[in-house]
Amino acid sequence: MSAHQSALPVRRLGSTDVTVSAVGLGCAPLGGLFTPVDPVTATATVDAAWAGGVRHFDTAPHYGAGLSETRLGNALAPKDRDAYTLSTKLGRILVDHEGQWDLWAEPNGKRAEFDYSYRAAHDSYRSSLERLGAERVEIGLIHDADDHRDAALEGTYRALAELKAGGRIGAIGIGMNSTEHAADLIERADFDTALIAGRYTLLDQSALDRLYPLCLDRGVSVIAAGVFNSGILADPRPGATFNYAAADPRMVAKAQAIAAVCDRHGTPLRAAALQFTAAHPAVASILVGARNPAEVDDALAMYAHPIPGALWHDLKRAGLLAEEAPVP
């Protein structure tokens, strides 16, 4: 058992019986995001997370056109199935495709296409179970429905609600990168959880306006992903990425100013980024993406890193953090 084990509380999602560890492993990188990942390394990454107390693993058919689900399933195969929580996503189906595809560096003859129909949701769920080698998934999320909200509610949501009523999924929710569209869906249907990437971080607190208050009001537990805004909060150098594109100079300057305050308090920026996001009362868990065991170990160490209260005070005083943002 690693030193981090005791540092991961377990939280319930909404009013369901589904629980997640306070830090979960985001498994998009295991599908070969940007660069290939050796399957042995993928398994070692999951093992490192497990050793650190992580018991929530999030994937999607979209990630590497099924590669992430397959690798995660293989890595978890020896583990006690009742000891962890799986989440995957619906709203895309895999189709035949030759050559390179999108952000994924390991072509496998497939790519994902949007399909929010009721039938596609059921097909997608069955295919995910096959790739994961699992009889069930605890959390089903509607994936990236920003521009397809009506279709997603008519098709994918109806299928998920049925799967939940039939005891085949424990919690249902959305997985998105936006705040307004996410809030719109939450107002229109019954969800247990919302996986939101990059909208409540040291650089972007847009979720404070409408989304997080709405989640608190409706008892929707947030799983917060993208805590480093795709890289800039891990290493705020010129050319760093923010939301998967090159960050503009103002954003880099702000990240560097935050890093300077952290330095003064002897705190790594990564620690402040993780713990800030985790401190909001709407957030049940933060999701950290990793492509190797070292990244997992670093994230768990940063999550447990002591941070002086004065650091948050100084960030707010310097106007680098929203005054109303809850801090650890």
Side-chain angles (χ1 to χ4, degrees):
M1 196 178 279
S2 94
H4 309 304
Q5 185 95 41
S6 59
L8 294 186
V10 166
R11 316 248 174 73
R12 195 174 292 279
L13 295 182
S15 57
T16 72
D17 293 333
V18 178
T19 58
V20 291
S21 47
V23 179
L25 183 67
C27 298
L30 303 187
L33 183 64
F34 304 126
T35 54
V37 172
D38 181 312
V40 176
T41 305
T43 296
T45 304
V46 173
D47 286 345
W50 188 276
V54 171
R55 293 295 181 269
H56 172 217
F57 301 88
D58 175 76
T59 184
H62 177 54
Y63 304 156
L67 278 180
S68 170
E69 288 183 322
T70 302
R71 287 171 179 170
L72 178 60
N74 289 340
L76 289 172
K79 314 280 190 225
D80 171 7
R81 184 62 192 88
D82 293 331
Y84 61 88
T85 297
L86 275 178
S87 54
T88 194
K89 309 188 185 76
L90 299 85
R92 284 184 172 95
I93 52 162
L94 299 186
V95 297
D96 292 335
H97 175 78
E98 287 312 310
Q100 198 68 7
W101 166 58
D102 240 19
L103 315 166
W104 310 98
E106 298 178 61
N108 66 341
K110 300 276 180 203
R111 72 186 174 92
E113 277 186 0
F114 286 115
D115 188 338
Y116 292 98
S117 68
Y118 172 80
R119 173 178 294 226
H122 278 291
D123 289 347
S124 173
Y125 186 63
R126 275 197 301 274
S127 301
S128 286
L129 292 184
E130 278 172 30
R131 285 188 293 270
L132 287 160
E135 286 174 10
R136 68 179 190 278
V137 166
E138 282 73 23
I139 305 167
L141 304 169
I142 302 175
H143 203 185
D144 291 339
D146 301 63
D147 304 323
H148 313 270
R149 299 192 297 286
D150 293 341
L153 288 176
E154 268 164 43
T156 320
Y157 175 76
R158 190 158 62 91
L160 279 172
E162 263 179 30
L163 287 164
K164 184 184 172 188
R168 299 186 54 210
I169 283 183
I172 60 177
I174 53 176
M176 297 170 83
N177 301 303
S178 70
T179 55
E180 286 308 298
H181 294 155
D184 178 51
L185 282 172
I186 287 167
E187 280 184 340
R188 291 170 63 188
D190 254 336
F191 292 106
D192 307 304
T193 186
L195 196 167
I196 307 291
R199 300 289 74 87
Y200 188 68
T201 70
L202 282 177
L203 280 178
D204 179 343
Q205 287 117 55
S206 52
L208 280 178
D209 300 339
R210 176 178 168 213
L211 180 61
Y212 277 14
L214 181 64
C215 287
L216 282 172
D217 188 47
R218 295 189 65 129
V220 174
S221 300
V222 173
I223 298 167
V227 293
F228 298 135
N229 283 124
S230 84
I232 186 167
L233 283 169
D235 180 11
R237 63 186 195 290
T241 50
F242 175 78
N243 289 354
Y244 307 103
D248 74 60
R250 280 189 318 249
M251 199 60 94
V252 173
K254 184 178 179 184
Q256 288 174 339
I258 293 169
V261 174
C262 290
D263 283 346
R264 275 210 308 279
H265 289 281
T267 302
L269 175 62
R270 301 187 309 293
L274 282 168
Q275 294 182 42
F276 171 73
T277 299
H280 195 284
V283 173
S285 170
I286 54 172
L287 208 57
V288 180
R291 62 173 53 245
N292 57 53
E295 290 183 358
V296 172
D297 292 344
D298 180 71
L300 292 170
M302 292 299 108
Y303 180 74
H305 197 287
I307 297 182
L311 182 149
W312 310 112
H313 176 260
D314 288 359
L315 285 176
K316 288 186 173 183
R317 199 176 58 188
L320 293 167
L321 199 54
E323 194 54 57
E324 72 275 19
V327 295

